[in-house]
Amino acid sequence: DDGDLARVRGWVQAARSIAVLTGAGVSAESGVPTFRDAQTGYWAQFRAEDMATDAGFRAHPQRVWDWYTHRRALLAHVQPNAAHRALAGFAQLHPGRLTLITQNVDGLHQAAGSPDVLALHGDLCAVRWLDTPQPCCREDRVSDERPPRCKVCGNALRPAVVWFGESLPPQVWSQAEAAVRRCDLMLVVGTAGAVHPAAGLAHTARAAGARVVIVNPQPSALDALAHCLLRGTAASVLPGVLGEATG
Ligand code: APR
């Protein structure tokens, strides 16, 4: 309600350091499907173990590669929404005060102009070697076989995203942990909080003494951690919470 919005706006203005964790919900209003929303989420249509694991890719490389190609093609038609823009605008106006950590691989925070996005789960539009998490030498020379090989270095390739059971990029993870440990306000936006270790960042922030605010139209697994629950969509809530804080 408006009282909560005013309270959170005050917390944003008073905060020395803000950490933000976003999930698929922040891109929902751009038209990007989420994973666990009933009916429309990807995991309502596909089995995550088939489409987002190393074993699933090795068992059916064509099916998984085609799904990622489909998701990349979707991105050609979507734009950042008001939530992405509010986060980018705040970060540009208050350099160094807001650290953006995302579980998303859609690149929309970067497209909106957010600097230094900590992308915990990688990048939908990049490829990496299949057998070691090395970036490939050339991303535009992918062979037609499946799994594809790089036409330059010959290595088998896969999407450069973090699949279930895989470790997060160590450098990105340690920066995210440091950010939530030092923040005095944490905004958790558009995530079900169902996937670890990403969801654990909210616990770490709370344990480090930060105020925790959740922005989500639905209940999430992190709600018990929140000092304030803003029951609304990211695009309708964030501009008010971050926008006027440009003073
Ligand atoms: N604004 C804010 N939140 C929204 C909106 C919206 N417009 N629409 C949906 N949501 C919320 C849903 O209520 C849900 O809590 O966004 C959340 C989306 O949850 P998931 O689909 O589980 O997405 P996410 O939490 O990002 O998943 C985490 O799981 O599948 C893996 O690696 C994948 O990064 C992903 C991770």
Side-chain angles (χ1 to χ4, degrees):
D1 63 29
D2 290 351
D4 284 341
L5 279 173
R7 204 151 55 103
V8 172
R9 199 163 33 243
W11 292 350
V12 167
Q13 286 167 345
R16 166 187 42 75
S17 170
I18 303 171
V20 182
L21 174 67
T22 65
V26 80
S27 297
E29 286 154 290
S30 294
V32 181
T34 63
F35 294 95
R36 292 175 185 80
D37 277 323
Q39 279 85 40
T40 59
Y42 278 129
W43 302 145
Q45 305 158 49
F46 304 108
R47 285 163 24 102
E49 50 274 31
D50 290 344
M51 308 301 267
T53 60
D54 180 82
F57 179 64
R58 290 175 190 270
H60 302 283
Q62 183 76 55
R63 171 171 68 182
V64 176
W65 188 266
D66 289 351
W67 183 52
Y68 279 86
T69 302
H70 163 74
R71 289 174 66 191
R72 273 198 292 276
L74 266 185
L75 290 184
H77 309 289
V78 304
Q79 296 296 324
N81 62 56
H84 299 107
R85 292 196 300 272
L87 286 161
F90 187 95
Q92 284 156 8
L93 220 58
H94 301 275
R97 233 176 106 200
L98 185 147
T99 302
L100 179 55
I101 305 157
T102 190
Q103 300 171 88
N104 300 342
V105 294
D106 58 30
L108 288 177
H109 285 304
Q110 296 88 332
S114 283
D116 314 318
V117 176
L118 297 178
L120 298 177
H121 293 163
D123 174 0
L124 188 61
C125 296
V127 294
R128 51 156 274 199
W129 287 349
L130 175 58
D131 297 318
T132 60
Q134 300 287 329
C136 180
C137 57
R138 293 292 301 273
E139 300 193 5
D140 54 358
R141 305 292 303 279
V142 172
S143 69
D144 296 335
E145 65 200 292
R146 294 292 177 258
R149 288 191 175 279
C150 170
K151 287 182 177 169
V152 177
C153 67
N155 282 291
L157 300 173
R158 56 167 270 186
V161 300
V162 177
W163 279 333
F164 290 102
E166 297 183 335
S167 49
L168 276 57
Q171 177 64 17
V172 175
W173 177 250
S174 60
Q175 289 178 65
E177 269 208 313
V180 299
R181 282 207 164 85
R182 73 170 171 266
C183 76
D184 44 359
L185 176 64
M186 180 160 190
L187 306 179
V188 179
V189 184
T191 182
V195 171
H196 288 267
L201 292 170
H203 295 267
T204 304
R206 174 86 198 224
R211 275 203 186 106
V212 176
V213 174
I214 289 181
V215 179
N216 195 326
Q218 305 291 330
S220 83
L222 299 173
D223 285 5
L225 291 171
H227 293 94
C228 186
L229 285 168
L230 298 180
R231 280 277 176 261
T233 71
S236 62
V237 167
L238 287 191
V241 159
L242 293 169
E244 275 94 70
T246 56

